[in-house]
């Protein structure tokens, strides 16, 4: 009995050893997946260190941004140029004193034409708005000053202002009205370029937000600016328009009243020649005899 029990115990021990040798351990669990690579990206920022969420003007039919300098007469354009150069004189000192010195010279050299332009603009508002003309003009003047004093554009505006000031000082006063619309367009160019750059920033910001998990909250200008008021047209001066000689006939004005009269062409002259018919004898014209009084 004891032998059998001992034998069975040995068999059980051998079986356990065999089973232990046949069994294989489970492999360890796989390591966790590595995190996705971090894509380096920079959030777009406004141009020229401008503030976020700025409002932009709407565009006209030609794609230009609406500004207070649109649809102006020559006198109004010249006065807006003067205001723009005034802004340059006050804000461009950090880049040198050229703008300030130019502005003071322009006020002295072209005083007469600037005074006439100011009077013409006043007259335009008075004719268009009556008693409200002064307030309407002051309102637009404030808008024009604020337009040219936009902080993010001053740095690029100052060299343009000094270039325009140099041209104005080099020309006679009589040429200022004709140059004013072109000068105003040159002075406005940095602002048109800034608005376009800011609109591009808003587009890139929306794309960045959509790609990197941000909420797309900006697509266009947050609150588009309303169109600025349009200045009135040119009103006739108190004495009416002075005539201008524009046609070839009008370019030769009539002589003054005290000029000596031009003698009328003489009606007397050689007697007319009467053609003769072929084969006919020539006939002489009979001349009248002078009277004794002659």
């Amino acid at each position: 009995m004891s032998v059998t029990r001992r034998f069975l115990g040995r068999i059980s021990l051998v079986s356990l050893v065999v089973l232990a040798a046949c069994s294989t351990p489970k492999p360890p669990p796989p390591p966790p997946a590595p995190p996705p690579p971090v894509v380096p990206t920079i959030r777009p920022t406004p141009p020229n260190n401008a503030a976020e969420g700025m409002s932009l003007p709407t565009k006209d039919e030609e794609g230009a941004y609406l500004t207070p300098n649109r649809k102006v007469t020559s006198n109004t354009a010249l006065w807006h140029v003067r205001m723009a150069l005034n802004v340059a004189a006050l804000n461009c000192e950090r880049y040198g004193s050229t703008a300030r010195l130019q502005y003071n010279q322009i006020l002295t050299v072209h005083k007469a034409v600037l005074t006439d332009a100011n009077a013409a603009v006043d007259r335009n508002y008075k004719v268009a708005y009556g008693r409200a003309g002064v307030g309407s003009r002051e309102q637009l003047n404030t808008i024009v000053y604020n337009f040219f004093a936009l902080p993010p554009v001053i740095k690029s505006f100052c060299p343009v202002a000094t270039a325009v000031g140099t041209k104005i000082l080099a020309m006679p006063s009589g040429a200022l009205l004709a140059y004013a619309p072109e000068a105003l367009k040159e002075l406005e160019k940095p602002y048109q370029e800034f608005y376009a750059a800011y609109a591009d920033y808003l587009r890139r910001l929306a794309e960045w937000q959509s790609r990197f998990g941000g909420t797309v909250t900006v697509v266009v200008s947050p609150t588009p600016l309303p169109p600025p008021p349009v200045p009135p047209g040119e009103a006739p001066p108190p004495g009416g328009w002075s005539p201008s000689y524009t046609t070839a006939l009008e370019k030769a004005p009539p002589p003054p009243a005290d000029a000596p009269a031009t003698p009328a062409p003489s009606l007397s002259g050689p007697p007319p020649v009467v053609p003769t018919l072929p084969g006919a004898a020539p006939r002489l014209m009979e001349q009248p005899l002078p009277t004794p009084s002659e």
Side-chain angles (χ1 to χ4, degrees), residues 18-293:
V18 172
L19 291 175
C22 294
S23 63
T24 56
K26 293 182 178 181
V38 178
V39 179
T41 179
I42 299 177
R43 187 177 188 270
T45 56
N48 301 352
N49 295 322
E52 295 185 357
M54 277 187 59
S55 298
L56 298 181
T58 55
K59 291 184 177 182
D60 60 12
E61 297 80 5
E62 299 178 355
Y65 291 94
L66 296 178
T67 72
N69 302 309
R70 73 190 193 283
K71 298 181 180 179
V72 294
T73 65
S74 295
N75 284 306
T76 303
L78 180 57
W79 198 251
H80 284 201
V81 169
R82 190 205 69 83
M83 287 192 285
L85 298 182
N86 187 13
V87 172
L90 296 174
N91 292 274
C92 298
E93 194 72 20
R94 72 188 75 173
Y95 308 111
S97 59
T98 304
R100 175 175 54 83
L101 297 176
Q102 282 182 341
Y103 178 70
N104 292 333
Q105 285 182 283
I106 290 171
L107 294 184
T108 302
V109 174
H110 299 300
K111 180 179 179 180
V113 67
L114 290 174
T115 301
D116 292 343
N118 183 44
V121 175
D122 268 342
R123 183 171 59 249
N124 297 343
Y125 276 90
K126 183 177 180 180
V127 171
Y129 301 105
R131 293 183 178 180
V134 175
S136 299
R137 185 183 182 187
E138 289 179 352
Q139 178 187 6
L140 184 59
N141 286 351
T142 302
I143 295 175
V144 172
Y145 273 111
N146 291 339
F147 169 80
F148 283 112
L150 188 63
V153 195
I154 289 295
K155 184 177 181 180
S156 54
F157 165 68
C158 289
V160 177
T162 54
V164 170
T166 301
K167 294 179 183 178
I168 290 178
L169 287 173
M171 65 177 58
S173 295
L176 250 62
L177 280 180
Y179 173 62
E182 178 185 348
L184 193 58
K185 188 175 182 180
E186 294 178 25
L187 293 167
E188 191 180 89
K189 185 178 179 182
Y191 299 86
Q192 293 283 347
E193 293 175 346
F194 169 75
Y195 290 146
Y198 201 94
D200 181 68
Y201 148 72
L202 294 176
R203 179 192 60 78
R204 291 184 290 106
L205 176 62
E207 180 181 351
W208 181 88
Q209 290 172 330
S210 64
R211 289 183 59 189
F212 298 102
T215 303
V216 180
T217 57
V218 178
V219 178
V220 294
S221 176
T223 51
L225 295 175
V230 178
E234 198 72 27
W241 299 114
S242 58
S244 60
Y245 299 99
T246 55
T247 65
L249 182 61
E250 291 174 332
K251 285 182 180 179
D258 56 351
T262 303
S266 176
L267 298 179
S268 62
V273 178
V274 180
T276 58
L277 298 176
R283 296 179 57 188
L284 298 178
M285 295 295 296
E286 295 181 359
Q287 299 293 331
L289 296 176
T291 61
S293 61

